[in-house]
Amino acid sequence: MLVYALPGTFETREDHLDLLWEAGATGLEERAGLIRAYFDTEVDLPAQIRDGQWQNEADQDWLAAFKANLRPVRAGRVTIVPPWLRTEVESGQLPLVIEPGMAFGTGHHATTRMAVEALGNLDLQGKRVLDVGTGSGVLAIAAALLGAAQAAGVDIDPITIPIARENAQENGVPEGRTVFVEGTLGDELPEQAGDEEFDVLVANLYAELHDLLAAEYVAHLRPGGPLVLTGILTSKLGMVQDALNREGFSGIQVREDGEWVLVTASAPAQQ
Ligand code: SAM
């Protein structure tokens, strides 16, 4: 089996995945900070993705190996597990079952973990929560399990929507408590996402997008409503803080995990 292993970074990941497909990869996977692209033969690659290494590897069942290595992830009051580890959740912890698959959000990334933990620190009882960039639906589902009356997840990537819906079902979240729609803020969001203000907004995107969307966060949050942002590299924290100050957010707090940051703040009291 011929593999091209390329160091992956969060910011370039989507471009690199596209370039590898265009170069003729027959399959892609991400593991231990590397993008692994499967090819039938060695090919010339564009300059942006020439940092990797070609390697011949013995055939093995990677999926089985990947699944065997997954462990439950504890995020505050919640433990995120794949379906086959459901029984390993310690008593007193809230199980959140996510099938690892094509959409980002198994809980194994620091940003997802910090966001779930931050949601667990809020009083979500009866609240409406908006999750921007929902991926596997993990944050919206966490919000529903933590008591939110409704959690809407939006994502520009259409493949995530059925995956998020299946994960909600797997967690026994009643239909209607979570709603997943394709789109983003600034679009005319479909009616089922609800176009009124939300009580809480959570978004695991990246710093540049938070900067671009900061005014939309204000427009979609009730005055004073909590904002939870992550996907931010420590080196880009200043950009997000500036955007939040510019839009009148207050009480900005920062939590770090390795190179990743989570920022919480409150929407302006009056809009
Ligand atoms: N919420 C999940 C989590 O916390 O693990 C997934 C986060 S993943 C890092 C980011 C997701 O945002 C991807 O599914 C991607 O398709 C989506 N996304 C990227 N740009 C977006 C945008 N402008 N609006 C909405 N979703 C976006």
Side-chain angles (χ1 to χ4, degrees), residues 187-220:
D187 286 356
E188 200 59 38
L189 280 182
E191 221 169 83
Q192 67 267 32
D195 48 12
E196 317 137 45
E197 290 166 350
F198 288 82
D199 300 302
V200 176
L201 192 153
V202 60
N204 181 0
L205 297 167
Y206 50 92
E208 288 82 353
L209 251 184
H210 292 316
D211 180 25
L212 273 173
L213 292 175
E216 293 290 341
Y217 296 156
V218 178
H220 285 83

Side-chain angles (χ1 to χ4, degrees), residues 7 20 23-24 29 67 79 86 90 95 99 106 115 127 137 142 150 160 164 167 170 172 180 185 202 221 234 252:
L20 287 161
E29 74 167 332
K67 286 187 166 188
T79 297
R86 199 188 293 258
E90 284 174 30
E99 175 76 47
T106 58
K127 304 275 168 58
Q150 198 200 31
T160 62
N167 280 324
E170 183 74 40
F180 297 101
L185 301 185
V202 60
L221 262 176
T234 43
I252 299 175

Side-chain angles (χ1 to χ4, degrees), residues 225-261:
L227 176 74
V228 177
L229 300 183
T230 188
I232 305 159
L233 286 165
T234 43
S235 56
K236 303 255 170 92
L237 172 62
M239 177 188 292
V240 177
Q241 285 172 316
D242 288 351
L244 296 182
N245 283 321
R246 181 186 74 221
E247 299 302 333
F249 281 86
S250 61
I252 299 175
Q253 291 195 1
V254 173
R255 206 194 127 191
E256 287 186 21
D257 185 336
E259 62 182 330
W260 296 104
V261 184

Side-chain angles (χ1 to χ4, degrees), residues 37-268:
Y38 296 87
F39 284 88
D40 294 331
T41 53
E42 284 197 26
V43 293
D44 263 346
L45 294 167
Q48 303 96 300
I49 51 170
R50 265 190 223 136
D51 289 347
Q53 275 194 333
W54 291 101
Q55 24 195 61
N56 270 304
E57 292 184 359
D59 281 344
Q60 56 168 295
D61 187 343
W62 288 112
L63 186 61
F66 165 72
K67 286 187 166 188
N69 285 327
L70 282 178
R71 299 305 312 145
V73 174
R74 204 173 166 132
R77 297 198 270 148
V78 176
T79 297
I80 311 164
V81 279
W84 59 92
L85 293 181
R86 199 188 293 258
T87 54
E88 291 196 15
V89 177
E90 284 174 30
S91 72
Q93 282 281 294
L94 203 54
L96 198 177
V97 178
I98 297 290
E99 175 76 47
M102 298 277 287
F104 188 105
T106 58
H108 290 81
H109 199 274
T111 57
T112 312
R113 203 166 53 238
M114 285 194 289
V116 171
E117 196 168 341
L119 288 171
N121 290 335
L122 296 171
D123 175 11
L124 297 182
Q125 285 303 321
K127 304 275 168 58
R128 291 184 66 241
V129 178
L130 179 61
D131 168 18
V132 186
T134 197
S136 65
V138 56
L139 303 183
I141 298 166
L145 296 175
L146 288 162
Q150 198 200 31
V154 298
D155 201 296
I156 47 164
D157 184 348
I159 70 153
T160 62
I161 305 304
I163 294 173
R165 286 185 186 139
E166 268 174 42
N167 280 324
Q169 256 181 15
E170 183 74 40
N171 284 280
V173 177
E175 212 155 316
R177 286 275 299 287
T178 50
V179 174
F180 297 101
V181 291
E182 184 184 339
T184 188
L185 301 185
D187 286 356
E188 200 59 38
L189 280 182
E191 221 169 83
Q192 67 267 32
D195 48 12
E196 317 137 45
E197 290 166 350
F198 288 82
D199 300 302
V200 176
L201 192 153
V202 60
N204 181 0
L205 297 167
Y206 50 92
E208 288 82 353
L209 251 184
H210 292 316
D211 180 25
L212 273 173
L213 292 175
E216 293 290 341
Y217 296 156
V218 178
H220 285 83
L221 262 176
R222 70 163 166 77
L227 176 74
V228 177
L229 300 183
T230 188
I232 305 159
L233 286 165
T234 43
S235 56
K236 303 255 170 92
L237 172 62
M239 177 188 292
V240 177
Q241 285 172 316
D242 288 351
L244 296 182
N245 283 321
R246 181 186 74 221
E247 299 302 333
F249 281 86
S250 61
I252 299 175
Q253 291 195 1
V254 173
R255 206 194 127 191
E256 287 186 21
D257 185 336
E259 62 182 330
W260 296 104
V261 184
L262 174 123
V263 176
T264 53
S266 301

